Amino acid sequence: MNRFIPLSIPNFGGNERRYVDEAIDQGWVSTGGAFIGRLEENLSLFLHADDVAACQSGTAGLHLSLIDCGVKPGDMVIVPTLTFIAAVNPVRYQFAEPVFIDCDDSLCMDPIKLEEFCKQECDFIVGKLIHRKTQKQVKAVVVVHIFGNMADMESIMNTAQRYNLIVIEDSTEALGTFYTEGRYKGKYAGTIGDYGAYSFNGNKIITTGGGGAVTAAKADTVAHLRYLSTQAKDDSHYYIHNEVGYNYRMTNLQAALGVAQMEELPDFIERKHRNYDLYKELFAGYELGKIKEFRKGTYSNQWFYSLEIDMEKIRGTMGDIIAQLEKGGVQTRAIWGLIHEQIPYQNSICYRIEKARYYSRCILNIPCSTQLTADDICYSADIIKKVLGELSR
């Protein structure tokens, strides 16, 4: 049987089975039970946040944030185009309009173009940013920390404060990433803006199977997010609901997994760093591609590793590369298709999309599971180099 190195799989080497069995034995398997509160408390302590609400997904956390901050039909929300579509869809859930901004070399939102859009395409009138052409209010910005790499939050927050924009951090890939210097030294991804959402999908650095979490700058805001996530229930005995709520609460079974995974998170991040460093060493000076760096002045969880391939030297497409690597037993994936080019968003407003087009064609995500051994990484690097060599011009 041929060797196979998966892209990113969960690591269940701790107390996962014990805690799930405990939840089952207690009969608390749905959206009530002690493990939900334990996970929320553990996340709060880890992130140095006042409160965190566990929910069904990172997408749910983003949607709850948009609801709470008052994004309404017809409003505009600035979003990146180089991201997973789940970062953008919640804008449409609110019948609001996304405005797509380019990335910089970190793959995260370009803060310079964000500032330019606000200054050159909008007017700031009585505390509101109004898009000049449509006369719609630009109310918020969704910042995605791509692959665990922190966006330039100092610049983005400066712009947001200047134009009274709400900042929602999509930290679904960045649990554990924080600043090590500068204005936000010690602040974790998701705790700098007004809201922060996290994902615990199966391929994330910790998983609850599905699931996610959301936090906010104010504890009473998190309480409202939690309230909305449980169908906005005001009286559990007589089923009184004073707002429209959502079935977005995490289950106790999911939370049991999450409590065990949080115990392992520091070790998972250490493994990510060790494996990333080996990849860097193996691809140092390689003429057909380079491993992307993470932002200086931050400590990243280094969730996903990106190989930037010189496609000018390659015959064929990224699809050809991925298919050949699969045959060699190495699972990889391309970065996402740009969201503004997807059918639901082709008529949306875009602002100077340039670098995102380049990176969408040349980024290859390579195996990054926390179970990888040094031998697995060396094997993956050898197969990648072999395939790229065979496809080189």
Side-chain angles (χ1 to χ4, degrees):
M1 183 176 178
N2 291 333
R3 187 171 184 177
F4 178 70
I5 311 295
L7 175 65
S8 180
I9 57 175
N11 189 337
F12 297 132
N15 288 312
E16 289 84 3
R17 187 178 299 276
R18 173 188 160 197
Y19 293 162
V20 169
D21 285 347
E22 186 177 328
I24 292 172
D25 290 342
Q26 292 172 350
W28 290 98
V29 297
S30 191
T31 54
F35 281 108
I36 300 172
R38 279 179 63 181
L39 178 59
E40 291 175 332
E41 182 179 359
N42 291 349
L43 285 165
S44 297
L45 291 171
F46 180 83
L47 295 168
H48 307 297
D50 289 336
D51 197 6
V52 176
C55 55
Q56 272 295 315
S57 64
T59 309
L62 293 171
H63 189 204
L64 291 168
S65 300
L66 289 165
I67 295 165
D68 183 82
C69 76
V71 169
K72 305 289 186 186
D75 288 339
M76 285 182 162
V77 178
I78 298 171
V79 297
T81 187
L82 188 70
T83 186
F84 182 46
I85 201 167
V88 178
N89 283 340
V91 175
R92 279 285 173 83
Y93 298 168
Q94 290 302 100
F95 299 97
E97 290 298 321
V99 176
F100 290 98
I101 298 290
D102 201 11
C103 69
D104 61 15
D105 290 322
S106 72
L107 305 181
C108 302
M109 182 179 286
D110 186 334
I112 296 174
K113 289 181 179 177
L114 171 64
E115 171 71 23
E116 286 179 355
F117 173 79
C118 294
K119 184 176 182 180
Q120 298 179 8
E121 304 292 322
C122 304
D123 296 310
F124 191 54
I125 304 171
V126 196
K128 296 181 179 180
L129 188 65
I130 305 299
H131 184 240
R132 196 172 296 133
K133 186 175 180 179
T134 64
Q135 289 301 295
K136 293 180 178 180
Q137 182 180 356
V138 183
K139 191 166 283 186
V141 54
V142 176
V143 182
V144 185
H145 302 300
I146 301 293
F147 302 148
N149 195 18
M150 185 83 82
D152 182 354
M153 290 303 293
E154 287 200 16
S155 298
I156 289 169
M157 291 300 292
N158 286 341
T159 298
Q161 290 160 7
R162 187 174 298 118
Y163 294 106
N164 200 22
L165 295 174
I166 296 155
V167 177
I168 300 170
E169 291 181 77
D170 181 332
S171 304
T172 53
E173 303 171 0
L175 179 65
T177 296
F178 62 91
Y179 270 102
T180 58
E181 58 186 55
R183 187 202 316 171
Y184 297 118
K185 181 177 180 179
K187 295 285 285 185
Y188 282 82
T191 69
I192 297 170
D194 298 284
Y195 302 84
Y198 304 89
S199 171
F200 311 135
N201 195 23
N203 67 344
K204 295 301 192 293
I205 196 159
I206 69 166
T207 185
T208 57
V214 61
T215 190
K218 298 177 181 178
D220 57 351
T221 300
V222 180
H224 186 242
L225 296 169
R226 185 180 291 109
Y227 164 78
L228 291 175
S229 77
T230 53
Q231 298 289 13
K233 190 184 295 182
D234 289 272
D235 189 311
S236 59
H237 296 291
Y238 295 99
Y239 296 96
I240 304 301
H241 308 264
N242 292 326
E243 292 186 54
V244 174
Y246 301 83
N247 185 21
Y248 280 169
R249 189 69 165 146
M250 179 181 281
T251 69
N252 201 44
L253 282 179
Q254 290 173 315
L257 276 177
V259 170
Q261 290 273 286
M262 282 298 294
E263 293 172 353
E264 301 295 314
L265 179 56
D267 181 59
F268 289 167
I269 295 175
E270 285 184 13
R271 295 186 190 194
K272 290 281 190 180
H273 279 247
R274 184 167 62 246
N275 294 340
Y276 173 79
D277 290 343
L278 180 53
Y279 271 125
K280 285 278 290 180
E281 179 183 330
L282 293 170
F283 281 98
Y286 182 57
E287 67 276 10
L288 296 178
K290 61 181 179 180
I291 301 292
K292 288 288 289 179
E293 301 276 359
F294 292 90
R295 186 177 299 281
K296 289 181 172 59
T298 70
Y299 179 85
S300 171
N301 70 358
Q302 298 187 351
W303 172 60
F304 252 36
Y305 311 143
S306 298
L307 181 66
E308 181 183 340
I309 298 173
D310 188 345
M311 294 301 291
E312 297 297 320
K313 297 179 180 178
I314 301 296
R315 292 177 288 105
T317 66
M318 186 63 75
D320 297 326
I321 296 171
I322 292 170
Q324 289 302 310
L325 289 172
E326 191 84 17
K327 290 179 181 178
V330 177
Q331 186 180 43
T332 58
R333 76 168 202 191
I335 203 169
W336 314 279
L338 300 182
I339 308 305
H340 79 278
E341 295 177 351
Q342 311 287 333
I343 288 174
Y345 297 106
Q346 287 177 354
N347 295 321
S348 298
I349 293 171
C350 305
Y351 184 73
R352 293 185 57 201
I353 308 297
E354 296 159 337
K355 284 190 175 181
R357 288 195 174 95
Y358 164 75
Y359 284 120
S360 70
R361 295 191 296 267
C362 72
I363 292 294
L364 180 73
N365 292 131
I366 60 179
C368 61
S369 304
T370 54
Q371 300 96 320
L372 287 177
T373 65
D375 186 61
D376 292 332
I377 294 169
C378 291
Y379 177 82
S380 298
D382 285 345
I383 296 297
I384 291 168
K385 290 178 181 180
K386 178 176 180 290
V387 167
L388 292 180
E390 291 171 348
L391 293 175
S392 63
R393 298 181 187 277

